[in-house]
């Protein structure tokens, strides 16, 4: 998926392709200026926005794969957030904690069933209750498998319902995590800083935040008022479908380029 960047030298719009690292080394095709764009966003957010864009453009089946991947990457985000939060509480060195976490994740990286096991334990330890969201019904697993593994052609309404379910789950867990998510964002900032240190003199660094579905809702939506009190956050006033529709409308960008600031 492409997103627009602006050349810092000649102000021309230059499309860039989202990189896995969210670090983009670019050269303006017009004036040949080199610059680096760092996108402050998590992988699950990029994937969810990709799914949303596919859905809005009429690619319902393709959207399902992106929403499903977004949920898997969100579960990884949750585990990382919890592990780094614990390490911070125990005053462990951040780099040591991060490298132990990476080493641990390697054991589960290629098997999503193992990752679900990690999420189950992380949720139990953090919230003190069993993860009610890991049932096939709550995850929409049957629908996902029918589409992804058995080639079913879903109707748009079905995909919207699945997207709303994934959106509602991620939104709920993000709300429960609250400030707990900050440690993962810090890890991204450190990765950006490490890359920035290797950037040659004269290459401009640009940091961007793309609002995306979850940020729009977290920072501007009806949930914004409960930010900072994650442990006792009230039940969202909207159901998942309404919340998803609200965030979709709020996003405002439609199928076009993502909004930037
Ligand atoms: Zn240029």
């Amino acid at each position: 998926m492409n997103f627009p960047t602006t050349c810092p030298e000649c102000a021309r719009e230059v499309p860039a392709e989202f990189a896995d690292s969210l670090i983009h080394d670019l050269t303006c095709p017009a004036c040949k200026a080199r610059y680096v764009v760092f996108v402050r966003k998590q992988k699950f957010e990029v994937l969810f926005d990709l799914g949303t864009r596919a859905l809005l453009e009429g690619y319902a089946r393709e959207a399902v794969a992106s929403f499903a991947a977004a949920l898997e990457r969100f579960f990884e985000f949750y585990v990382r957030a919890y592990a780094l939060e614990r390490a911070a509480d125990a005053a462990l060195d951040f780099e040591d904690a991060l490298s132990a976490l990476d080493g641990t994740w390697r054991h589960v990286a290629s098997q999503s069933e193992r990752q679900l096991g990690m999420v189950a334990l992380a949720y139990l330890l953090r919230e003190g209750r069993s993860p009610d969201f890991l049932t096939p019904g709550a995850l929409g697993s049957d629908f996902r498998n029918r589409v992804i593994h058995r080639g079913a052609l879903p109707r748009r309404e079905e995909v919207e319902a699945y997207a709303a379910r994934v959106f509602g789950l991620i939104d709920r867990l993000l709300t429960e995590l609250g400030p707990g998510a900050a440690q993962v964002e810090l890890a991204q900032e450190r990765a950006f800083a490490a890359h920035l240190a290797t950037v040659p003199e004269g290459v401009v660094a640009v940091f961007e935040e793309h609002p995306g579905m979850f940020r729009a809702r977290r920072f501007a939506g009806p949930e914004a008022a409960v930010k900072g009190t994650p442990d006792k956050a009230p039940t969202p006033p909207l159901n998942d479908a309404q919340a998803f529709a609200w965030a979709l409308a709020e996003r405002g960008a439609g199928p076009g380029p993502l909004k930037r600031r």
Side-chain angles (χ1 to χ4, degrees):
M1 179 168 72
N2 286 344
F3 66 100
T5 72
T6 305
C7 170
E9 199 61 44
C10 71
R12 179 183 294 254
E13 187 174 296
V14 179
E17 194 172 19
F18 269 115
D20 214 55
S21 61
L22 297 174
I23 298 172
H24 312 82
D25 291 296
L26 302 168
T27 303
C28 173
C31 73
K32 308 296 175 203
R34 289 176 62 199
Y35 59 109
V36 191
V37 175
F38 298 89
V39 178
R40 289 197 171 103
K41 199 166 186 174
Q42 297 296 324
K43 181 68 77 57
F44 75 87
E45 298 177 281
V46 174
L47 287 163
F48 198 93
D49 285 344
L50 220 157
T52 304
R53 191 182 289 191
L55 186 61
L56 291 170
E57 290 179 0
Y59 298 98
R61 189 172 187 284
E62 288 73 8
V64 175
S66 293
F67 290 131
L71 185 57
E72 285 192 358
R73 294 288 59 80
F74 174 74
F75 284 154
E76 177 180 357
F77 174 89
Y78 187 92
V79 169
R80 295 177 75 82
Y82 173 66
L84 293 175
E85 185 184 33
R86 282 288 298 258
D89 287 348
L92 299 180
D93 178 73
F94 189 84
E95 288 299 331
D96 289 348
L98 197 56
S99 101
L101 174 58
D102 289 340
T104 303
W105 192 260
R106 271 198 283 280
H107 296 296
V108 306
S110 57
Q111 282 163 281
S112 57
E113 288 297 320
R114 288 187 176 186
Q115 295 172 20
L116 290 182
M118 300 271 277
V119 176
L121 186 63
Y123 190 83
L124 170 65
L125 294 179
R126 189 174 196 276
E127 302 296 333
R129 55 182 188 271
S130 68
D132 57 331
F133 53 86
L134 287 182
T135 62
L139 296 175
S141 312
D142 290 346
F143 172 73
R144 169 195 177 280
N145 292 340
R146 235 177 28 246
V147 173
I148 292 180
H149 298 306
R150 298 207 290 277
L153 299 175
R155 283 178 294 113
R156 179 175 166 140
E157 305 87 80
E158 293 177 292
V159 180
E160 276 181 12
Y162 177 68
R165 185 186 296 268
V166 171
F167 180 82
L169 178 52
I170 294 178
D171 191 50
R172 169 195 145 184
L173 293 177
L174 272 179
T175 304
E176 289 181 7
L177 267 179
Q183 297 296 325
V184 190
E185 279 156 12
L186 179 60
Q188 184 177 55
E189 289 302 318
R190 288 190 172 227
F192 286 178
H195 186 84
L196 191 58
T198 68
V199 168
E201 195 109 359
V203 174
V204 178
V206 182
F207 289 85
E208 290 191 357
E209 294 198 26
H210 298 182
M213 300 279 290
F214 296 101
R215 267 155 223 258
R217 180 149 158 79
R218 270 159 81 199
F219 300 127
E223 296 307 286
V226 301
K227 207 171 144 256
T229 54
D231 295 341
K232 297 282 172 271
T235 311
L238 306 171
N239 67 33
D240 292 347
Q242 289 167 330
F244 176 65
W246 180 86
L248 205 57
E250 190 68 13
R251 183 166 174 265
L258 298 175
K259 286 187 289 188
R260 285 180 299 129
R261 66 162 192 239

